[in-house]
Amino acid sequence: MAKRIQFSAHGGPEVLQYQDFTPQDPADGEVQVENQAIGINFIDTYVRSGLYAPPSLPSGLGTEAAGIIVKTGSGVKGLKMGDRVVYAQSALGAYSQIHNVLQDKVALLPDAISFEQAAASFLKGLTVYYLLRQTYEIRPNEIFLFHAAAGGVGRIACQWAKALGAKMIGTVGTAEKAELARQAGAWETINYREENVPERVAALTGGKKVSVVYDSVGKSTWEASLDSLHRRGLMVSFGNSSGPVTGVNLGILNLKGSLFVTRPALNGYVTNREELALASNELFSMIASGAIKIDVPASQKFPLAEATRAHQALESRQTQGSLLLIP
């Protein structure tokens, strides 16, 4: 027997249930991982609430964790029992002591990186990788705008941007979060509660504005993001923390300067083992070199049984960086 989190109805954090289950043996091409640390991501709240509905209910939750392979299915190559691994694109159910994962979704974890570092950074780090390196390749000295700069993804983006020699303008909601973003490597910050974002972007760029905006907030920042772009700029909408962007009149892209918009996701960029290896190796190199530092405060580590409390903390917007569940 093992423990996992399940939910039988969509709703708030209170729908999450801590339950016993009997793990099944891994199927062909799968490995069974004994999780040591589990990543909590904002997309998990979308699945729980029903915005991104799972195939059926009851359902497990979570797609990211780090741990040790304890069993392998037939046909598995390049992975064995005892290997330290991390994954971020599993089937739902990573909020669990034991989870079966397709071998193509698993990356070997270097000894220099702890399970907690890996679980706190893998999905977020791979997200920053595809955003800054593939959706739009950020160049040295380039100025760009990144919303929610003090969040889990945002703080990794601050550090990665600095390592690339770029100038990231990060939006935040408090002075404390502004300081955190600057410490992580943001070139400048904008407090969206007190400042007009497009006006500040224009001031910081000498009126030129930016080529690209990365926006995980969604509904509440849509207009401000478009207004921060210069002619033929790219709006990268990759999240909905304030609600989804709906009812968009495409004519607005014309009026604001023949703008481009994309709605990317990791699953569109990391689709096989080769792409996962390329992305994870670059991320691990950044962490191992110290260019990206991953440190989860004790107050943001929760026992697996307290997933409800962890989700309440995440949605309170009072957390800083990554949150973890510890089995």
Side-chain angles (χ1 to χ4, degrees):
M1 296 292 286
K3 294 284 192 179
R4 67 181 175 190
I5 297 295
Q6 281 192 315
F7 62 104
S8 300
H10 295 297
E14 69 281 354
V15 303
L16 300 179
Q17 302 169 324
Y18 185 56
Q19 297 184 335
D20 292 315
F21 79 109
T22 302
Q24 296 183 340
D25 287 336
D28 292 354
E30 287 185 339
V31 296
Q32 186 169 93
V33 182
E34 183 179 297
N35 291 333
Q36 304 298 305
I38 300 162
I40 301 173
N41 297 284
F42 215 94
I43 194 172
D44 301 342
T45 70
Y46 300 161
V47 175
R48 187 207 70 220
S49 69
L51 179 62
Y52 295 167
S56 62
L57 294 174
S59 174
L61 190 61
T63 62
E64 175 185 39
I68 301 167
I69 294 177
V70 292
K71 289 183 181 180
T72 59
S74 61
V76 171
K77 297 179 180 179
L79 297 167
K80 64 184 185 304
M81 288 177 58
D83 279 346
R84 302 172 77 251
V85 294
V86 59
Y87 57 88
Q89 297 171 285
S90 75
L92 291 174
Y95 285 21
S96 179
Q97 292 176 332
I98 299 289
H99 193 38
N100 294 341
V101 186
L102 287 170
Q103 63 175 337
D104 288 349
K105 305 299 184 184
V106 170
L108 287 167
L109 183 62
D111 291 339
I113 300 172
S114 72
F115 292 121
E116 290 190 1
Q117 285 178 310
S121 67
F122 202 50
L123 180 58
K124 299 173 184 67
L126 294 181
T127 298
V128 174
Y129 166 81
Y130 85 73
L131 290 172
L132 303 192
R133 306 291 285 151
Q134 295 188 314
T135 303
Y136 179 99
E137 188 171 0
I138 295 296
R139 299 176 296 274
N141 295 314
E142 182 160 18
I143 304 174
F144 66 98
L145 181 66
F146 202 105
H147 288 289
V153 172
R155 289 171 74 178
I156 292 175
C158 288
Q159 296 176 77
W160 208 313
K162 184 177 180 180
L164 292 173
K167 298 177 178 179
M168 177 175 142
I169 304 170
T171 70
V172 295
T174 67
E176 181 185 17
K177 289 188 174 183
E179 181 59 26
L180 287 170
R182 284 192 291 267
Q183 289 175 358
W187 175 63
E188 291 284 355
T189 60
I190 300 173
N191 186 331
Y192 62 82
R193 298 185 192 279
E194 299 176 354
E195 300 173 281
N196 180 289
V197 173
E199 288 179 3
R200 280 281 289 140
V201 168
L204 289 167
T205 58
K208 295 179 180 179
K209 301 189 177 181
V210 295
S211 299
V212 62
V213 174
Y214 297 99
D215 189 340
S216 63
V217 179
K219 182 178 180 180
S220 68
T221 51
W222 170 251
E223 289 276 353
S225 292
L226 297 182
D227 288 337
S228 298
L229 289 164
H230 64 51
R231 183 167 57 96
R232 299 201 304 270
L234 174 63
M235 165 66 169
V236 182
S237 175
F238 70 101
N240 310 290
S241 63
S242 70
V245 177
T246 58
V248 175
N249 177 1
L250 291 179
I252 196 173
L253 304 179
N254 171 22
L255 294 174
K256 292 183 181 294
S258 298
L259 303 178
F260 294 86
V261 176
T262 185
R263 182 62 173 85
L266 180 61
N267 290 341
Y269 287 85
V270 177
T271 64
N272 56 50
R273 200 162 189 178
E274 291 72 26
E275 290 173 346
L276 178 61
L278 182 67
S280 60
N281 287 342
E282 187 162 344
L283 173 62
F284 293 154
S285 294
M286 285 283 189
I287 297 172
S289 71
I292 292 177
K293 295 178 173 60
I294 306 298
D295 182 23
V296 181
S299 62
Q300 292 179 195
K301 299 176 187 178
F302 301 83
L304 179 60
E306 297 182 16
T308 293
R309 189 164 67 89
H311 272 224
Q312 290 169 340
L314 179 64
E315 292 181 312
S316 74
R317 294 178 177 265
Q318 299 303 307
T319 59
Q320 300 167 355
S322 300
L323 284 74
L324 292 175
L325 293 172
I326 307 299

